[in-house]
Amino acid sequence: MNRRWVSLAVLLGAVLVGCGGVEAEPEVVPPVSVASTSQELVTCSANCVMGERVSCQGSTCSATDYSHVTCDGVTTFCPTCDDHPYCEFLHGGSCAPKGSTIPCCFLGGGGEGGCVCGNGEWICTI
């Protein structure tokens, strides 16, 4: 009878191993949250002389025709004689910081001049 019990135990063991035994639980990985922010960009353009235009893109911008565009604090002037803006268009326009200077050209090819920032306005030799 011992032989039967041994045979039965071997057979039962083989059946349990053949069935794969107890299944392992799958590992659960929590989802990763990715925070993202987006900031809309705006584009500003200014007309310049001779049909040219200047433009820029940023989160904030402003434009003054025949003078310049400013995006995120960076100013791009209209190209003119020797890449200087016209004195007549700068004169009286807003500027910063006080005491800064910029070369300029006179309309009609009258040569070069300059502007000085005083009290928030360009003061130009016209």
Side-chain angles (χ1 to χ4, degrees):
M1 183 126 178
N2 275 341
R3 243 189 227 178
R4 284 186 188 175
W5 286 111
V6 172
S7 298
L8 184 61
V10 170
L11 181 62
L12 185 59
V15 168
L16 284 176
V17 171
C19 290
V22 178
E23 269 190 53
E25 297 255 344
E27 183 179 341
V28 177
V29 178
V32 177
S33 175
V34 177
S36 66
T37 60
S38 67
Q39 194 171 25
E40 287 189 41
L41 295 178
V42 292
T43 301
C44 281
S45 296
N47 294 314
C48 300
V49 295
M50 311 270 277
E52 294 185 58
R53 293 176 62 85
V54 290
S55 61
C56 63
Q57 194 173 47
S59 57
T60 62
C61 71
S62 64
T64 303
D65 281 339
Y66 306 105
S67 181
H68 66 278
V69 292
T70 303
C71 288
D72 298 333
V74 177
T75 300
T76 304
F77 288 95
C78 286
T80 61
C81 63
D82 297 328
D83 264 349
H84 300 312
Y86 286 112
C87 303
E88 290 85 347
F89 294 129
L90 286 175
H91 187 72
S94 62
C95 64
K98 184 177 181 178
S100 59
T101 61
I102 187 169
C104 60
C105 298
F106 299 110
L107 281 173
E112 289 191 22
C115 300
V116 176
C117 183
N119 295 325
E121 281 188 1
W122 288 115
I123 301 166
C124 304
T125 53
I126 298 179

